[in-house]
Amino acid sequence: MDNNQMNKYDVVIVGGGIAGLSAAHYLKQEGLKIKLIEADKRVGGRMKTDNVEGYLLDKGFQVLSTAYPECQKLLDYDALELRNFYPGAKVYHKHSFYQFADPFKKPIDSLRKLNNPLSNFGDKLKIVALRNRTRRLSIEKLFDEKEMPTIDFLREWNFSDQIINSFFKPYLGGIFLEPDLLTSSRMFRFVFKMFGKGYAALPKNGMEAIPRQLAARLSEDELLLDTEVKQVSNGRVTLKDGEEISTSIVLVATDAFTASKLIPSFTKQVSMNSVRCLYFTADEPLDKQAILYLNGNNQGWINNIVVPTSLQKSYAPTGKSLISVSVIKPCNLTDTELYIAVRGELRAWFGDEVVSQWIHLKTYSIENAVPSQPTISYPKEKEIKPVEKGIFICGDHVHDSSINGAIRSGRITADAISWHLALTINQ
Ligand SMILES: Cc1cc2nc3c(=O)[nH]c(=O)nc-3n(C[C@H](O)[C@H](O)[C@H](O)COP(=O)(O)OP(=O)(O)OC[C@H]3O[C@@H](n4cnc5c(N)ncnc54)[C@H](O)[C@@H]3O)c2cc1C
């Protein structure tokens, strides 16, 4: 009997985040015998939603761009019942709110807000020019462009300090989860292209509905939850309880830190950006519009605020509103201290009368939210190789820090594994 016949599985995937689930889907499509092992009781990894007394609390505010090409290919958007945010934002600056609107999707709103003091006419023209330039380039080409910190890129384009500080910093900071915009300009251009082409959306049942949709495509034998993998080697995965599972290929789809523990030769240093997310509930909706609020003041803890119930009523029990507040600045405050500070800021933004009605539900402190990416290289499909004999890696940390990046990483690694197995069997 040859090696492949003795192996129980063709591929064992370690980690049931969106990258591992994507790989599982594509490997299954190739007719391979797979098993996905996830340490947690639920799939999803960093895309989780807790149901707390009928409130759907995403573990950190997170959105899907409807234009993500990998999501379009893999997910059933209709079944997710996606709803879109308004394409723009309200910026809180010196005690007033100023609305920004996407000039392509909301041209009339955009023109109406021409007197917005936070951007000048030149900024608007540059946004249009950048949008046109970005639209023409494929994602692969964008990730091949010269890179620099996003903040330098915006300055190179001569955007005014006013729009950089009051709009780009909180808007992009809320996506990169770092306030100084040191993330690679390649990521900025990707994000700019995606949110220009599509909409920021939330599924009806919370962000975890996305990984759950993929997990539902696996059979009972293909998915093992609540089981930590302790060791991997060529042809074998060892579980925490000592059980060994034999396999032709191991695909490590964990976070970077776990990947480097499981595979000592994988030494890539990845530092992670963090975020704290405070949830409040209210009886009165804050806004009829499903819009992102940004802090354009350059001071205070709050970076952005959203009201998920303004687009998905299912995020709260009937008649209730859910408010999510994100803090991205490095912050040593305890949860109570942060809650007090944030509540004070919310009072200044929306008034005492409104905010005194809000009840604090929960605070999430997510230390390891997304890999910080001062530089990014976008893996080419044909370049994926095993990191060690019989072992592959996928995940956002070897791609870009996004749902699209994690899914693409799963897909192209699955493709490489299929080729690898086909060639090995034919040898
Ligand atoms: C707060 C927050 C906001 C975000 N906002 C956005 C956004 O708006 N848009 C966007 O596109 N992206 C966003 N992201 C990024 C996106 O969610 C991630 O890039 C993506 O979910 C990463 O998926 P992954 O599968 O690579 O890793 P993970 O989700 O980390 O999955 C790894 C899995 O491996 C499992 N695992 C670890 N060790 C073991 C072991 N020993 N044995 C078995 N299993 C193990 C873990 O439990 C986990 O389930 C955000 C992320 C966070 C946290």
Side-chain angles (χ1 to χ4, degrees):
M1 205 185 283
D2 73 25
N3 213 18
N4 283 307
Q5 283 170 311
M6 282 189 327
N7 285 326
K8 197 166 171 205
Y9 295 99
D10 293 314
V11 187
V12 169
I13 303 157
V14 184
I18 198 79
L21 289 163
S22 154
H25 170 90
Y26 288 109
L27 288 165
K28 246 189 105 162
Q29 258 189 356
E30 290 299 318
L32 295 170
K33 188 163 162 45
I34 61 153
K35 182 141 201 126
L36 188 153
I37 305 174
E38 165 56 47
D40 201 351
K41 289 189 170 66
R42 280 144 60 190
V43 293
R46 278 169 279 151
M47 292 177 75
K48 289 258 177 55
T49 306
D50 288 339
N51 186 327
V52 177
E53 293 170 13
Y55 292 91
L56 300 184
L57 309 184
D58 288 332
K59 285 176 119 170
F61 169 58
Q62 164 159 200
V63 294
L64 176 85
S65 163
T66 56
Y68 281 158
E70 297 292 333
C71 294
Q72 291 178 343
K73 206 167 1 197
L74 182 66
L75 302 174
D76 178 348
Y77 279 7
D78 289 342
L80 290 171
E81 298 182 63
L82 298 175
R83 282 185 183 230
N84 303 334
F85 279 98
Y86 175 90
K90 274 185 188 163
V91 176
Y92 179 66
H93 180 75
K94 294 189 180 160
H95 311 295
S96 298
F97 288 98
Y98 300 96
Q99 191 159 331
F100 282 78
D102 182 322
F104 291 86
K105 295 196 188 100
K106 294 281 175 190
I108 295 172
D109 283 8
S110 166
L111 283 172
R112 254 195 232 131
K113 320 289 178 207
L114 263 180
N115 59 350
N116 182 340
L118 302 183
S119 64
N120 58 39
F121 190 62
D123 288 330
K124 289 187 171 77
L125 291 180
K126 278 167 217 152
I127 286 182
V128 172
L130 185 57
R131 178 80 158 267
N132 282 334
R133 202 131 127 209
T134 306
R135 198 172 43 182
R136 281 198 298 271
L137 291 176
S138 68
I139 295 176
E140 286 72 15
K141 286 252 161 58
L142 282 181
F143 276 102
D144 262 351
E145 292 271 285
K146 185 176 106 180
E147 75 178 329
M148 62 186 86
T150 294
I151 186 73
D152 293 351
F153 180 88
L154 295 172
R155 294 211 170 106
E156 206 170 76
W157 267 71
N158 274 322
F159 281 105
S160 68
D161 285 348
Q162 190 67 276
I163 196 173
I164 290 179
N165 291 326
S166 61
F167 176 73
F168 282 122
K169 278 197 175 172
Y171 178 71
L172 296 170
I175 295 173
F176 303 154
L177 303 184
E178 54 96 3
D180 300 322
L181 307 192
L182 300 176
T183 301
S184 166
S185 53
R186 291 177 178 166
M187 194 63 188
F188 162 63
R189 298 193 66 186
F190 167 68
V191 164
F192 194 72
K193 183 178 175 83
M194 290 297 100
F195 289 105
K197 203 169 165 196
Y199 287 83
L202 290 179
K204 183 178 180 192
N205 294 315
M207 289 301 283
E208 192 179 321
I210 297 171
R212 276 208 309 262
Q213 182 177 89
L214 298 182
R217 297 176 192 172
L218 303 177
S219 69
E220 243 176 64
D221 183 55
E222 288 167 335
L223 180 61
L224 182 59
L225 295 172
D226 201 9
T227 305
E228 190 182 323
V229 169
K230 197 90 186 118
Q231 230 179 337
V232 301
S233 58
N234 181 22
R236 185 165 300 120
V237 165
T238 310
L239 308 182
K240 201 176 172 192
D241 65 5
E243 188 190 336
E244 292 189 341
I245 299 177
S246 74
T247 177
S248 298
I249 297 290
V250 182
L251 171 56
V252 175
T254 65
D255 56 281
F257 179 69
T258 311
S260 63
K261 275 203 307 187
L262 290 174
I263 314 164
S265 65
F266 178 70
T267 52
K268 187 177 173 194
Q269 294 294 316
V270 177
S271 68
M272 301 289 285
N273 296 340
S274 61
V275 62
R276 293 173 83 174
C277 181
L278 293 85
Y279 280 106
F280 295 85
T281 179
D283 287 339
E284 298 298 323
L286 178 64
D287 202 320
K288 284 205 179 95
Q289 220 175 17
I291 196 163
L292 176 70
Y293 284 84
L294 298 173
N295 182 356
N297 278 332
N298 262 311
Q299 57 183 29
W301 289 110
I302 298 174
N303 184 73
N304 56 275
I305 302 171
V306 287
V307 184
T309 39
S310 61
L311 68 158
Q312 293 284 15
K313 294 236 175 312
S314 47
Y315 266 66
T318 312
K320 299 283 182 190
S321 239
L322 179 68
I323 299 138
S324 149
V325 179
S326 298
V327 172
I328 60 163
K329 275 186 195 163
C331 169
N332 291 324
L333 300 183
T334 63
D335 280 356
T336 311
E337 288 166 344
L338 183 64
Y339 159 72
I340 292 167
V342 162
R343 196 161 190 120
E345 288 177 29
L346 290 169
R347 285 204 166 95
W349 287 43
F350 303 111
D352 235 357
E353 210 180 306
V354 171
V355 175
S356 61
Q357 308 295 319
W358 297 7
I359 296 165
H360 177 231
L361 289 172
K362 195 165 173 145
T363 297
Y364 288 99
S365 296
I366 302 154
E367 275 299 311
N368 299 313
V370 291
S372 61
Q373 300 205 296
T375 61
I376 299 183
S377 55
Y378 195 72
K380 306 263 183 312
E381 308 219 0
K382 301 279 176 273
E383 286 172 1
I384 307 294
K385 302 240 161 16
V387 275
E388 277 185 17
K389 189 159 191 275
I391 304 175
F392 287 74
I393 285 190
C394 70
D396 66 348
H397 61 97
V398 287
H399 210 286
D400 66 85
S401 311
S402 71
I403 298 166
N404 188 74
I407 292 180
R408 182 174 183 271
S409 175
R411 177 177 64 78
I412 63 178
T413 312
D415 200 34
I417 290 172
S418 306
W419 276 104
H420 183 90
L421 284 173
L423 291 172
T424 326
I425 287 163
N426 290 329
Q427 261 169 17

